[in-house]
Amino acid sequence: MNDYQRIIDYDFSDTVLDDKLVVKFKLKKTFTEDQFISLFSPKKGERFIIRTPDTKSSIIGIGYEATWLLDSNDFLTSFDNSSVLSGFEELKAQVTFLEIDEHDSEYFGIYGGVSDGKNKNSQEWVDFSDTSFVVPGILAVFKDEDVYITMFFNMKEEKEFAELWSERISFLNKLDDKNEISNEPKISVVREIYPELWQENIRTALLKIEKEELKRIVLSRKNLILLENNTSLGAITKYLLSKNRYFIAFESKKSVFVTTNPLISLDYTDDDLKAKLYLKKENLFNNDYSIMFDEKEIIQEYKNSFDSHFDCEFNVYDDKTLMGKKLDVYSVLNSRVEDAEKAIKALSLLYPMPIIKGYPENVAKKFLDDNYNVGYGFWYSPFGYITNNLDAKFYTCGNMMVAQNNMITLFTSILLSKDENYNDVIEKSNRIVNSSLKLFDH
């Protein structure tokens, strides 16, 4: 009996089935992430993949069985995430867990991100206007030589469990099919969105830096890309994995966003809380990089904020982690926090991100509010997950794209600081845009 058949024929006769059921099993990795995602094209709009930089694993979710749409202010301004955690705790209380195979970690949880909350009228972010978290029907974690599967069942459906089980695991019979991903996206047209405004903002910001009103600022840029055919999550996944990139891609309704390379992140595991402030900014689709800042007072600001909110001392140290082919260097704020719900609320201390938007923060904010009211959505905001154990990992969404069928909005940013001139800034930004277009073989 092969590895799939023992799962297909599993005997549930001795299992007590409550309102909600979570079943866990393990498979040998005989198929790729992009092949797995492509099996579920009918679920377009309800899929995601998180290729994590810390564990080198890939987390794939298929089918959103439970969804929370929430107020972004709970996360961004009030040191509060109680709305999502209370909903998740209520769900967990109804769940029966069954392990066909033992997993090496807890993967069942809620997955999603915090939207900017001020982009209701932004066309690009229409499908991502709310802070949203989901429980996937099928969760597949690709790690080393194994794939850890976690399946969530809502037992209130008017079907026998045997029928539900048969339907949900039907993909097992298709895993070994060599389904090639066709229609890889090709660019038809690339257009700048509001180029005059963007260029004038560069000139104005450089003048403020020259006058020492600003120390640095990050300006956003948007390009519209029209493709000859529709893009696909499978094609995007295949490309980025072939480049050994870590990334996040999340679908909602008719849209998908893709981002990579976090600049700040939160990790809470076994009562150990770490906030990681990345000092290096890599481009979305190549290995170009630059050091973003050297202001030690920013790290001190974060430390003071964490110390005051948690009534404990946070250690600060530099860490070096090999990610891909280059060495990322970042500062880590670390302390032991036994209150899991409070630890997750640290998201409110990390975002929005003054490290990204500019410094001094109040001057940069006023400049951006006055000159370019861009809809940010998940851009510069946290995306990640909270597990059944209330461990959590969140990653910043840096440069990214949002796709709707054959129309892509590419979001990039450029850092302006002392001793830079207009032509150099334009040239550097153009390089960032052009390298991002390599995703489409441009």
Side-chain angles (χ1 to χ4, degrees):
M1 183 170 63
N2 65 34
D3 199 39
Y4 304 151
Q5 200 62 44
R6 70 181 180 87
I7 303 299
I8 294 170
D9 295 337
Y10 188 80
D11 183 5
F12 289 93
S13 60
D14 294 332
T15 303
V16 177
L17 303 178
D18 289 333
D19 287 345
K20 307 289 191 298
L21 177 67
V22 170
V23 182
K24 304 176 183 180
F25 56 88
K26 186 169 64 175
L27 303 172
K28 288 297 180 184
K29 186 181 175 183
T30 59
F31 47 92
T32 62
E33 289 93 330
D34 52 281
Q35 287 175 326
F36 185 83
I37 284 176
S38 298
L39 286 178
F40 299 96
S41 54
K43 287 287 186 181
K44 185 176 180 181
E46 296 184 1
R47 299 177 297 177
F48 66 78
I49 176 169
I50 304 173
R51 171 75 170 173
T52 60
D54 44 4
T55 64
K56 296 291 179 25
S57 62
S58 298
I59 303 173
I60 295 175
I62 306 293
Y64 301 161
E65 298 298 313
T67 302
W68 289 269
L69 301 177
L70 303 166
D71 183 355
S72 298
N73 288 327
D74 287 352
F75 287 83
L76 299 180
T77 63
S78 62
F79 195 62
D80 185 20
N81 332 119
S82 57
S83 53
V84 64
L85 289 176
S86 61
F88 185 41
E89 290 288 358
E90 183 179 337
L91 176 70
K92 285 165 50 181
Q94 304 173 51
V95 170
T96 298
F97 291 88
L98 173 65
E99 278 196 352
I100 297 177
D101 298 312
E102 185 178 352
H103 282 195
D104 67 340
S105 186
E106 179 60 67
Y107 300 114
F108 174 72
I110 51 175
Y111 293 75
V114 180
S115 181
D116 178 71
K118 299 177 183 177
N119 42 256
K120 295 286 186 182
N121 298 320
S122 176
Q123 180 182 356
E124 299 91 356
W125 294 106
V126 65
D127 288 338
F128 303 105
S129 60
D130 295 297
T131 289
S132 59
F133 286 87
V134 301
V135 174
I138 301 174
L139 188 66
V141 179
F142 288 68
K143 191 174 180 180
D144 299 325
E145 301 303 315
D146 295 306
V147 182
Y148 298 90
I149 305 290
T150 304
M151 305 186 71
F152 176 76
F153 293 88
N154 186 342
M155 306 302 292
K156 289 185 178 180
E157 293 186 33
E158 294 181 358
K159 290 183 180 179
E160 293 293 330
F161 177 71
E163 185 180 354
L164 283 175
W165 177 254
S166 178
E167 288 178 0
R168 189 67 63 82
I169 62 168
S170 61
F171 71 89
L172 292 175
N173 293 316
K174 306 173 186 175
L175 283 176
D176 292 330
D177 295 347
K178 301 301 180 184
N179 53 325
E180 293 296 324
I181 297 173
S182 57
N183 296 325
E184 293 194 5
K186 303 290 184 182
I187 288 179
S188 173
V189 177
V190 179
R191 295 175 185 156
E192 189 80 28
I193 299 177
Y194 300 128
E196 298 85 1
L197 177 60
W198 178 70
Q199 292 163 13
E200 182 59 31
N201 284 341
I202 293 175
R203 295 187 181 96
T204 305
L206 287 174
L207 184 60
K208 286 186 175 292
I209 292 171
E210 183 181 338
K211 293 179 178 179
E212 298 186 348
E213 297 175 21
L214 274 171
K215 206 166 187 178
R216 102 177 156 267
I217 193 167
V218 176
L219 297 183
S220 57
R221 181 179 183 180
K222 294 197 294 186
N223 290 86
L224 178 65
I225 304 166
L226 298 179
L227 304 178
E228 293 178 0
N229 46 43
N230 292 345
T231 187
S232 72
L233 184 56
I236 292 169
T237 298
K238 182 178 182 180
Y239 176 87
L240 291 173
L241 286 175
S242 73
K243 300 298 182 183
N244 197 26
R245 306 304 293 167
Y246 42 91
F247 65 99
I248 295 169
F250 184 79
E251 290 182 325
S252 177
K253 300 176 183 176
K254 297 181 179 179
S255 302
V256 57
F257 81 79
V258 184
T259 185
T260 187
N261 298 318
L263 295 166
I264 192 169
S265 65
L266 181 86
D267 184 335
Y268 182 68
T269 306
D270 297 329
D271 297 338
D272 189 39
L273 177 62
K274 292 180 181 178
K276 302 178 182 180
L277 314 180
Y278 292 73
L279 304 184
K280 191 185 79 172
K281 177 184 177 183
E282 283 192 270
N283 183 261
L284 185 58
F285 299 118
N286 68 12
N287 289 322
D288 291 343
Y289 70 95
S290 61
I291 301 299
M292 282 202 68
F293 64 91
D294 58 3
E295 290 88 350
K296 292 183 179 179
E297 62 264 31
I298 292 181
I299 297 175
Q300 187 63 44
E301 268 184 39
Y302 273 109
K303 173 176 164 49
N304 293 343
S305 179
F306 271 73
D307 287 348
S308 63
H309 278 83
F310 285 94
D311 300 320
C312 62
E313 182 78 12
F314 274 79
N315 298 318
V316 180
Y317 58 91
D318 288 340
D319 197 2
K320 297 180 180 181
T321 304
L322 189 63
M323 297 181 180
K325 298 179 180 179
K326 289 193 175 292
L327 201 65
D328 280 5
V329 182
Y330 52 81
S331 291
V332 179
L333 282 70
N334 181 218
S335 188
R336 182 173 178 81
V337 178
E338 295 183 1
D339 185 335
E341 183 171 333
K342 190 172 183 180
I344 295 170
K345 290 179 181 180
L347 284 168
S348 302
L349 306 181
L350 290 172
Y351 307 96
M353 302 168 56
I355 282 181
I356 303 300
K357 300 293 182 67
Y359 194 82
E361 183 182 355
N362 59 331
V363 181
K365 182 180 185 306
K366 186 177 188 311
F367 181 91
L368 295 172
D369 288 345
D370 292 346
N371 294 282
Y372 195 24
N373 187 21
V374 63
Y376 283 101
F378 287 124
W379 197 14
Y380 299 147
S381 292
F383 193 97
Y385 55 92
I386 303 168
T387 71
N388 180 46
N389 296 335
L390 293 189
D391 287 343
K393 291 183 185 291
F394 284 88
Y395 307 93
T396 304
C397 294
N399 289 345
M400 64 168 54
M401 69 176 197
V402 175
Q404 287 185 339
N405 298 321
N406 73 325
M407 184 173 68
I408 313 290
T409 304
L410 178 65
F411 297 84
T412 56
S413 56
I414 188 72
L415 172 68
L416 280 65
S417 56
K418 190 178 178 181
D419 299 329
E420 292 192 83
N421 64 61
Y422 175 83
N423 289 332
D424 288 343
V425 171
I426 293 291
E427 182 182 350
K428 186 160 51 173
S429 180
N430 287 339
R431 286 202 306 269
I432 292 171
V433 171
N434 287 332
S435 63
S436 298
L437 296 178
K438 290 179 181 178
L439 176 63
F440 310 100
D441 296 328
H442 183 63

